[in-house]
Amino acid sequence: MSKIITVANQKGGVGKTTTSISLASSLAYLGCQVLVIDIDSQSNASSGLGLKKNEIKKTIYDVLVNEVNIFEAIHETALDFLDIIPASINLVGAEVELINLETREYILKKALTNVVEMYEYIIIDCPPSLGMLTINSLTASTDVLIPLQCEYYALEGLGQLLNTIKAVKEHLNENLNIQGVVMTMFDSRVNLSHDVIMNVKKYFPQKVCNAVIPRNIRLAEAPSHGKPIVLYDITSAGAQAYLQLAREIANI
């Protein structure tokens, strides 16, 4: 059975997509069979893993809205053991299209039924909102991973996300677990970065990941080349940090 991890934070610019594709590719690099689901209409996880729009035939939108068989939407990537179901700009309207459907919160979970035995990890990259797509992701998941940037307003709006997770756990998915909080954009030269981590550890006792993701130019460059960081520059500090996070999550 897969460990299904939603990477969520309704705040933009926290490194959510970078975390999704870098964690997934690191787990694949370590030999785990991994599926990424890009459920964000911006499709950054899809392009970041090298998919080109003109080569994509079926997307997660087709699975959710048009009831296309999920196997038709799975695409291989350049990395062994790593597949992806790409996103589509059509996801912008999916919130409205799903809202009137019965059991609308369970559509993704139902679609994943036939693939959970194929992968050790399924990583879902969510949009920066707490709408129906994120609710579907949380309902389908075993765990949620929360990226937080090492900046002054890191905890701003986090209460809303935690309330959503609590509501999903109470009403839709009692087995949902907070995998952890991963601190991103860490700059060891800046006192604020250290202070933010200390404050987050007070807010989330025992839940802050040991792996801390640094600000790293190679991490920033990798998506423009359509490569995950482990293929773009595995020696970089960013790649090494995400490999540490992958080992931490996989307990290896």
Side-chain angles (χ1 to χ4, degrees):
M1 181 68 71
S2 300
K3 187 168 189 173
I4 306 174
I5 303 174
T6 284
V7 180
N9 191 329
Q10 79 273 25
K11 196 165 184 276
V14 300
K16 182 174 54 60
T17 297
T18 298
T19 294
S20 296
I21 62 178
S22 300
L23 171 60
S25 59
S26 295
L27 286 166
Y29 179 83
L30 294 172
C32 303
Q33 198 74 44
V34 186
L35 174 68
V36 172
I37 300 177
D38 186 356
I39 206 166
D40 183 353
S41 63
Q42 297 177 79
S43 304
N44 290 334
S46 304
S47 59
L49 286 176
L51 269 67
K52 296 177 174 57
K53 289 183 180 179
N54 61 345
E55 297 174 355
I56 297 173
K57 294 181 180 179
K58 301 295 183 183
T59 70
I60 192 64
Y61 172 84
D62 297 301
V63 174
L64 296 175
V65 177
N66 298 328
E67 298 184 7
V68 165
N69 188 310
I70 195 168
F71 292 103
E72 294 182 39
I74 296 175
H75 296 65
E76 294 182 346
T77 72
L79 188 64
D80 290 341
F81 307 123
L82 180 62
D83 295 335
I84 182 171
I85 299 178
S88 162
I89 189 63
N90 293 331
L91 285 169
V92 170
E95 301 274 354
V96 176
E97 293 176 86
L98 295 176
I99 199 70
N100 292 321
L101 299 179
E102 287 188 30
T103 61
R104 56 188 177 270
E105 299 91 352
Y106 294 93
I107 294 172
L108 179 60
K109 182 174 184 176
K110 182 180 177 182
L112 287 175
T113 302
N114 294 323
V115 299
V116 290
E117 299 298 338
M118 294 173 53
Y119 298 95
E120 293 171 74
Y121 295 91
I122 297 175
I123 310 292
I124 307 175
D125 184 35
C126 287
S129 70
L130 296 177
M132 188 53 60
L133 295 176
T134 299
I135 298 298
N136 258 266
S137 301
L138 293 171
T139 302
S141 294
T142 58
D143 299 86
V144 55
L145 181 67
I146 305 171
L148 281 185
Q149 80 280 29
C150 293
E151 296 177 0
Y152 185 73
Y153 292 111
L155 294 172
E156 187 180 61
L158 193 59
Q160 189 180 359
L161 173 60
L162 295 177
N163 286 337
T164 299
I165 293 170
K166 181 181 178 182
V168 169
K169 189 175 177 67
E170 288 179 358
H171 303 292
L172 299 169
N173 180 8
E174 65 180 12
N175 297 316
L176 184 63
N177 171 61
I178 295 180
Q179 169 74 50
V181 177
V182 57
M183 303 306 302
T184 64
M185 306 179 193
F186 176 75
D187 189 337
S188 61
R189 302 165 299 177
V190 179
N191 287 336
L192 177 62
S193 288
H194 297 277
D195 293 342
V196 169
I197 290 179
M198 184 173 64
N199 288 332
V200 172
K201 284 183 176 179
K202 290 179 182 177
Y203 197 84
F204 285 103
Q206 313 301 320
K207 284 294 183 180
V208 178
C209 298
N210 293 323
V212 176
I213 313 303
R215 285 193 178 277
N216 182 246
I217 188 64
R218 305 301 273 174
L219 269 178
E221 291 172 351
S224 66
H225 294 269
K227 292 182 178 181
I229 189 62
V230 295
L231 289 182
Y232 183 64
D233 186 356
I234 197 167
T235 65
S236 67
Q240 292 302 308
Y242 276 113
L243 282 166
Q244 181 186 348
L245 178 64
R247 292 187 181 100
E248 188 174 341
I249 287 175
N251 292 315
I252 57 177

